[in-house]
Amino acid sequence: MTDRSTNFIRTKVAEQIRQGQIMEVVTRFPPEPNGYLHIGHAKSICLNFGLAEEFGGRCNLRFDDTNPEKESQEYIDSIKRDVKWLGFNWSELRHTADYFETLFEWALHLIRQGDAYVDEQSMEVMRKNRGTLTKPGIDSPFRDRLPEENEILFLKMRDGELPEGSAVLRAKISMSSANLNLRDPALYRIRYISHPRAGDNWCIYPTYDFAHGQSDALEGITHSLCTLEF
């Protein structure tokens, strides 16, 4: 590490290395390929690539391509050019779509152990029943389905037997959590649209919130750094 001015991130990483908690810094820049980069992305690029470079580690460029209706190869190519224009090179090029099979199996695991369920409420009703910062949410009437029932329905979602928007897979966490994001968030939704990378292999896609952290785990990311300018 150079003798330049430090910050709390550098200080923490240096401490982890010194204590033997990590052997190598592995970060990632994970843009969604649904538009061109802006100045805020430059901050995230410099943080993730720069930190790995500073500590002799690695940084992956990973396209979080979980929203196929808004993604295109044009944006992917543009993002690659911009990262290189800023003077960085990725260690590995990754795509969340390459993990779709694994993410699906992990979703099945959650269903089988009773931690996820298929919800057939409309999106409007789900939003209404989510509650507010001062009012707890309301449990879905489908929340206590048996795991076996949920698995059958989830497989129907995967096999294209349910209409788009008719069902989502949700994590069973707590509808009274103070953190609204933990009130049974959606994990999978139905989308009848071709994926730029996966083609027509899937008609269900994981949500960004579900896929993002799992992709980090699959890649062995040691520091999941998300900046706030977005």
Side-chain angles (χ1 to χ4, degrees):
M1 185 176 67
T2 62
D3 292 331
R4 62 198 241 184
S5 61
T6 190
N7 57 44
F8 75 96
I9 297 177
R10 290 195 187 101
T11 300
K12 183 64 175 180
V13 173
E15 180 183 349
Q16 290 174 324
I17 293 174
R18 185 169 58 252
Q19 294 180 353
Q21 295 176 2
I22 56 172
M23 301 303 294
E24 181 184 34
V25 173
V26 185
T27 61
R28 81 289 176 269
F29 174 57
E32 297 178 71
N34 57 10
Y36 302 108
L37 298 188
H38 55 67
I39 190 65
H41 289 96
K43 177 181 177 182
S44 182
I45 291 169
C46 291
L47 175 62
N48 283 284
F49 281 95
L51 193 73
E53 184 178 281
E54 183 174 341
F55 286 93
R58 297 179 288 115
C59 182
N60 293 342
L61 172 60
R62 181 177 74 233
F63 289 103
D64 270 331
D65 48 356
T66 58
N67 195 15
E69 59 262 46
K70 296 183 179 180
E71 297 160 2
S72 75
Q73 188 63 42
E74 176 183 353
Y75 297 136
I76 290 175
D77 294 339
S78 173
I79 291 169
K80 288 180 182 178
R81 288 194 300 269
D82 287 348
V83 170
K84 291 185 176 181
W85 181 78
L86 284 171
F88 297 106
N89 289 297
W90 47 88
S91 296
E92 296 183 36
L93 181 64
R94 300 293 188 98
H95 298 78
T96 300
D98 296 336
Y99 309 139
F100 279 174
E101 190 65 44
T102 299
L103 294 171
F104 174 78
E105 292 297 328
W106 286 356
L108 278 177
H109 176 74
L110 290 176
I111 291 171
R112 289 166 180 167
Q113 66 181 17
D115 292 326
Y117 63 98
V118 175
D119 195 344
E120 294 179 84
Q121 297 180 107
S122 68
M123 293 302 296
E124 180 181 353
V125 171
M126 278 191 280
R127 280 193 294 269
K128 181 180 178 181
N129 290 345
R130 191 184 185 198
T132 66
L133 290 172
T134 58
K135 181 180 177 182
I138 299 172
D139 284 358
S140 166
F142 305 104
R143 197 173 193 270
D144 294 323
R145 272 181 168 147
L146 294 175
E148 295 79 8
E149 296 178 85
N150 285 309
E151 182 171 347
I152 290 172
L153 285 169
F154 189 50
L155 293 178
K156 286 185 176 181
M157 288 172 61
R158 179 201 63 183
D159 294 338
E161 298 179 18
L162 298 179
E164 186 170 320
S166 65
V168 297
L169 182 70
R170 299 178 72 179
K172 187 187 289 187
I173 302 180
S174 172
M175 290 301 292
S176 60
S177 173
N179 185 340
L180 269 66
N181 293 318
L182 298 181
R183 293 183 184 177
D184 290 9
L187 305 181
Y188 268 88
R189 73 278 198 216
I190 303 168
R191 289 288 186 274
Y192 290 109
I193 185 169
S194 183
H195 189 281
R197 186 169 180 84
D200 296 317
N201 292 335
W202 297 89
C203 61
I204 57 170
Y205 294 101
T207 60
Y208 176 88
D209 289 345
F210 177 56
H212 187 76
Q214 315 311 318
S215 298
D216 281 350
L218 285 165
E219 294 178 17
I221 302 302
T222 60
H223 297 82
S224 181
L225 303 171
C226 298
T227 51
L228 301 176
E229 68 280 350
F230 304 110

